[in-house]
Amino acid sequence: MTQLFRILIVDDNANNRFTLKSVLTRLDNCQTQEAASGDEALVAVIEHQIDLILLDIQMPGLDGFETARHLKMSARTRDIPIIFVTAVFKAEEFIRKGYKVGAIDYLTKPIDDNQLINRIQLYQRLFQRERHVRDALNALQEKERQLQKINQELDQRVQQRTHSLKLKNQHLEQEIQERKRVGNALKHAMKKAEAANKAKSEFLATMSHEIRTPMNVVIGMSDLLLDSTLDGEQKQFAEVLQNAGRSLLDLINDILDLSRIEAGQVDLSPTPFQAAKLVQQVVEILEIKAAENGIHLSCEIAEDVPESVYGDNSRIRQILVNLVGNAVKFTEQGSVTIQLSYHHTDVHQLNFVVKDTGIGIDKKHLDSIFNMFSQADSSVSRRYGGSGLGLTISSRLVGLMGGSIRVESTLGKGSAFYFSVPVHLADRVDIPAESPETKPRSGEAVKALHILLVEDSPDNQLLIKTYLKKTPHTLDIVSNGVEALKTMINNHDTLDLVLMDIQMPVMDGYAATRAIRKWEKDESRDSLPVLALTAFALEEEKQKCLAVGCNEHMTKPIRKKILMDMIAQFS
C-alpha cells in the first residue's frame, strides 16, 4: 500500500504558499500543510506527521536558518528532510549556510514547476523505499521473535517429557510418541528458520544492489574530479566524497561476507602459495596508509617457514588485512608488526601475530571483541569509525579453516592478535610473470574499439562516457536489452565490445546476452565479447552472468583504471 507523503510549506508570503501548494497537487499520494512563520512550522511538526519541509529562508521572526536549527535540536524532528527555498541573487551565500544547519537540498526563486515536481518525486520515492525496507525488517524481526518463542516452548516441553520418563516408566510408549511429535515440530521450526535466513540473504543482496548502483556514480565521479584541475579546497572535498563512498562499500562487503558465512555459503579454496610473500604483500598494501599516520609497518618472518604451503591464501590475506588495517587505524604513534612462524607436531600450522603500540583494549571488553558489531566502547566508533565487523569475519574465517584466534592487550600500550591456521606442505610455487595481455608495453598504442554500452541509468551512462572521453574508443549507448539486441544485429560487423548492465527494464542483461548468443549461433557469426556490469556482488551472480554467455564480469562501483584494463584485454 502506498504511503501518504506529507509536505510542510513554510513561507511568510501567502501567494508563495498558494503557488507551491497548487503545483504539489499534481503529485499522487501527497498531502500539504502550511505555516506562515518559523514558529508556526515548529508547532506544525509537533502536531502533525511531516515527511518533508519546504522552508523559506527570509521570514520575519524566526528565519529559515533558525527554524532549521530548532528542528535539528529535537530527536523527533531532526531527521525530517529540509529543502531551503531562496532567491537567486542570494543562492550561493544561503546554500553554504543552509547545508551547515542541516538542509539536504535547495531551490531558487522563482521556482521552476518541473524542477520542484522532480525533486519532490525523488524524495517521495526515497521515503517509500525507506518505509518498505523498515516494514521488511519489522516483518523479519517478528518472524525471529515467533521462532524464538516456538523454540522456548519446545525446550520446555522436552524438559517436561524427559522428567516424566524418569518418574513414570509405565508411560514409555506414550512419551516416545510425544517425542516424535516434538521432533516434527522442531523440523517445522527449522524450516521456518531457513526461510527467515533466506529472506535475510535476499534482502541483503537487494540492498547491496540498490546502494552499489548510485555509489558507482559517486565514486566514479569523485575519481574524475580528482583527475581534473581542482584548487586545494575542491580537491579536499572530492577526497572526502571518495573516502566516504569507499567506507560505505567496505561496510556493504563486510555485511555480505558475514551473511554468507552465517548461511554456510563460504567455501574454502585451497591452493599452493608462498606464506612469506603473502605477508610482504599485505605490508605493501597497507604501508602507504601507515606512513600517512606516521606509523612504521614491518614484518618478521621466521627462517623455518616453508617456501610453499597449501591452503586458502585469499582468506588468510583477508584476515591479515582486517587485523593489520585495524592495528594501523587504532595506533596513533609507534609501530605495527606482522610476525609469521611455522609449527609442526601432528599438523602443519602457520602462526601469525599482529602487534601494535596503539590505544589497547580494556580487559573487560576482551571477551566480546570478536562479537558482531563490537568495539571496545562507543567512543572508539565515534573517533576511529568502523562497523565492528572485521574481527567477527576474521574469527569466523579462522574457525572455518580449523584454526584459532585470540587477543592480548593492555589499555594505552597496545594489542597483539594471534591466529593459527592448519596447512599442508606443497611443491614450490612459481610466481608467474606479468602477462603482456594484461599490461600493455610502455608506448604501445591502444587499439580503438567500437563499444556498445547497454545501461538504463543516465548517471551511469554519463560516467562511462566520461571515462572513455579521452580514449580512442567510440561509444554507442542504449537503455535496455531490446535496443541492445537491435543495435548489435545492425552493427555486428563494426562492434568490438558490449558493456552490458544486468538489471534493466524491458529486457534485462541476462536475457539480452542469451538473445545475442542465440542470434550469433543462428547466423553463424563470431561471438562478440560481452562484459557484464552489475551491482550484484555475490559470487553466484558472477557465475550466472558467465552462464548466459558473458565473457567477463565486473561489480559496480567500477573504477576507471579497472575498466580501462578490462577493455584493454579485448583490444
Side-chain angles (χ1 to χ4, degrees):
M1 179 179 177
T2 303
Q3 299 289 330
L4 192 63
F5 192 65
R6 303 171 181 85
I7 302 173
L8 176 62
I9 301 171
V10 186
D11 197 308
D12 61 317
N13 188 307
N15 292 330
N16 289 343
R17 296 198 304 274
F18 177 80
T19 300
L20 288 173
K21 186 173 182 179
S22 299
V23 173
L24 294 178
T25 57
R26 291 154 53 185
L27 291 170
D28 295 331
N29 302 306
C30 183
Q31 183 183 81
T32 59
Q33 298 278 120
E34 295 183 37
S37 67
D39 290 327
E40 289 185 18
L42 295 177
V43 173
V45 296
I46 294 175
E47 294 180 347
H48 305 282
Q49 176 66 39
I50 300 299
D51 303 310
L52 179 68
I53 299 175
L54 292 176
L55 182 57
D56 186 27
I57 292 179
Q58 294 178 299
M59 297 184 296
L62 280 180
D63 63 12
F65 296 131
E66 289 299 319
T67 303
R69 287 193 186 95
H70 281 286
L71 290 170
K72 295 304 177 182
M73 290 170 61
S74 171
R76 178 177 176 180
T77 59
R78 66 166 59 106
D79 293 328
I80 301 175
I82 299 173
I83 299 178
F84 273 136
V85 180
T86 179
V88 173
F89 74 96
K90 290 277 191 175
E92 186 172 348
E93 172 190 347
F94 283 165
I95 288 168
R96 288 195 298 267
K97 190 172 181 180
Y99 284 145
K100 286 184 178 180
V101 297
I104 62 168
D105 208 343
Y106 73 96
L107 293 169
T108 56
K109 298 177 182 178
I111 295 175
D112 181 87
D113 292 356
N114 290 327
Q115 183 186 31
L116 175 62
I117 290 297
N118 288 336
R119 294 284 179 86
I120 299 301
Q121 286 178 332
L122 170 63
Y123 291 111
Q124 209 173 0
R125 287 194 297 271
L126 291 173
F127 168 80
Q128 297 294 345
R129 182 173 295 176
E130 182 182 19
R131 181 63 60 86
H132 175 73
V133 170
R134 188 160 55 247
D135 291 344
L137 284 173
N138 290 336
L140 182 59
Q141 291 170 353
E142 179 59 29
K143 289 181 180 179
E144 290 177 346
R145 284 193 293 270
Q146 292 176 0
L147 177 60
Q148 184 179 11
K149 182 179 179 181
I150 291 173
N151 285 333
Q152 290 174 348
E153 292 175 353
L154 290 173
D155 287 342
Q156 292 174 358
R157 291 177 183 177
V158 170
Q159 291 173 6
Q160 291 171 357
R161 295 301 178 184
T162 302
H163 179 67
S164 179
L165 277 171
K166 293 179 179 179
L167 298 177
K168 300 178 181 179
N169 289 330
Q170 65 272 27
H171 299 302
L172 179 61
E173 184 62 30
Q174 177 184 351
E175 293 302 323
I176 291 174
Q177 294 301 321
E178 179 63 19
R179 284 177 178 269
K180 289 181 178 179
R181 186 187 68 79
V182 172
N184 291 334
L186 283 170
K187 290 180 181 179
H188 179 67
M190 183 65 70
K191 290 181 179 180
K192 292 184 69 175
E194 291 173 352
N197 191 59
K198 181 180 179 182
K200 181 183 72 173
S201 297
E202 291 175 351
F203 168 77
L204 289 174
T206 301
M207 287 302 98
S208 171
H209 177 276
E210 293 302 317
I211 294 173
R212 284 175 183 274
T213 298
M215 286 309 301
N216 183 50
V217 179
V218 172
I219 295 180
M221 287 299 181
S222 65
D223 278 341
L224 293 174
L225 282 174
L226 289 171
D227 286 340
S228 63
T229 303
L230 302 174
D231 61 31
E233 184 180 42
Q234 291 169 335
K235 183 177 181 181
Q236 181 184 9
F237 290 164
E239 289 174 343
V240 169
L241 177 64
Q242 188 177 73
N243 290 335
R246 290 178 179 175
S247 296
L248 179 57
L249 282 176
D250 288 342
L251 175 59
I252 296 169
N253 291 333
D254 282 348
I255 292 174
L256 288 177
D257 262 352
L258 189 58
S259 176
R260 287 194 289 264
I261 292 171
E262 287 185 331
Q265 296 174 350
V266 173
D267 296 323
L268 299 178
S269 302
T271 57
F273 71 98
Q274 295 177 329
K277 183 67 174 177
L278 184 148
V279 171
Q280 292 165 357
Q281 289 172 345
V282 172
V283 171
E284 291 172 1
I285 291 171
L286 294 169
E287 64 182 352
I288 295 178
K289 178 62 176 177
E292 290 175 352
N293 293 354
I295 306 302
H296 177 64
L297 176 60
S298 62
C299 61
E300 299 173 359
I301 300 172
E303 293 182 357
D304 62 344
V305 172
E307 181 180 4
S308 304
V309 295
Y310 192 79
D312 193 329
N313 65 316
S314 64
R315 294 301 181 184
I316 295 175
R317 180 185 290 106
Q318 183 178 359
I319 296 166
L320 275 176
V321 169
N322 277 341
L323 295 181
V324 179
N326 273 353
V328 170
K329 180 168 63 173
F330 296 124
T331 301
E332 296 180 341
Q333 60 181 359
S335 63
V336 175
T337 305
I338 310 173
Q339 297 176 345
L340 169 62
S341 60
Y342 169 72
H343 181 70
H344 172 54
T345 51
D346 296 333
V347 296
H348 299 275
Q349 184 172 280
L350 292 178
N351 302 316
F352 298 87
V353 184
V354 178
K355 292 184 176 181
D356 65 64
T357 58
I359 62 175
I361 306 167
D362 195 303
K363 289 184 178 180
K364 66 182 180 181
H365 298 299
L366 289 178
D367 292 338
S368 63
I369 197 67
F370 294 108
N371 293 344
M372 197 182 308
F373 301 108
S374 176
Q375 287 186 335
D377 56 55
S378 59
S379 65
V380 171
S381 179
R382 290 193 298 271
R383 182 174 180 182
Y384 296 96
S387 62
L389 289 176
L391 291 179
T392 302
I393 293 171
S394 298
S395 176
R396 303 286 178 86
L397 290 177
V398 169
L400 283 175
M401 289 186 282
S404 61
I405 187 169
R406 62 186 179 88
V407 59
E408 295 178 359
S409 184
T410 302
L411 193 64
K413 293 185 177 181
S415 304
F417 284 84
Y418 302 80
F419 76 94
S420 303
V421 292
V423 294
H424 298 285
L425 294 182
D427 295 334
R428 182 180 181 275
V429 178
D430 293 322
I431 304 300
E434 188 171 32
S435 172
E437 288 77 15
T438 60
K439 186 176 182 180
R441 293 185 296 273
S442 177
E444 181 180 350
V446 178
K447 178 185 174 183
L449 301 182
H450 184 190
I451 300 173
L452 174 63
L453 173 63
V454 189
E455 170 65 66
D456 65 310
S457 167
D459 291 336
N460 284 318
Q461 291 176 1
L462 174 62
L463 178 64
I464 301 299
K465 184 177 180 181
T466 308
Y467 276 172
L468 299 176
K469 186 175 182 180
K470 295 182 180 180
T471 70
H473 308 308
T474 57
L475 185 67
D476 293 339
I477 301 175
V478 295
S479 299
N480 59 65
V482 172
E483 295 177 6
L485 181 60
K486 181 179 178 181
T487 303
M488 188 279 303
I489 292 173
N490 292 334
N491 301 277
H492 187 275
D493 294 335
T494 63
L495 284 173
D496 298 302
L497 178 66
V498 178
L499 302 178
M500 180 72 73
D501 185 27
I502 294 302
Q503 191 166 16
M504 298 180 292
V506 185
M507 178 187 285
D508 63 23
Y510 299 122
T513 304
R514 280 194 295 265
I516 288 173
R517 296 307 185 215
K518 182 178 184 303
W519 181 86
E520 290 172 339
K521 181 179 180 181
D522 293 343
E523 298 295 324
S524 300
R525 300 294 188 94
D526 292 337
S527 293
L528 189 64
V530 177
L531 174 58
L533 310 178
T534 175
F536 286 113
L538 299 178
E539 176 65 22
E540 48 265 36
E541 292 298 331
K542 175 181 179 180
Q543 297 305 321
K544 188 175 179 181
C545 290
L546 298 178
V548 299
C550 294
N551 298 81
E552 291 289 350
H553 169 276
M554 296 187 70
T555 302
K556 297 175 182 177
I558 300 167
R559 309 299 298 274
K560 180 179 179 180
K561 183 181 183 305
I562 295 175
L563 178 63
M564 294 299 101
D565 289 344
M566 185 66 74
I567 291 175
Q569 295 184 32
F570 297 94
S571 62

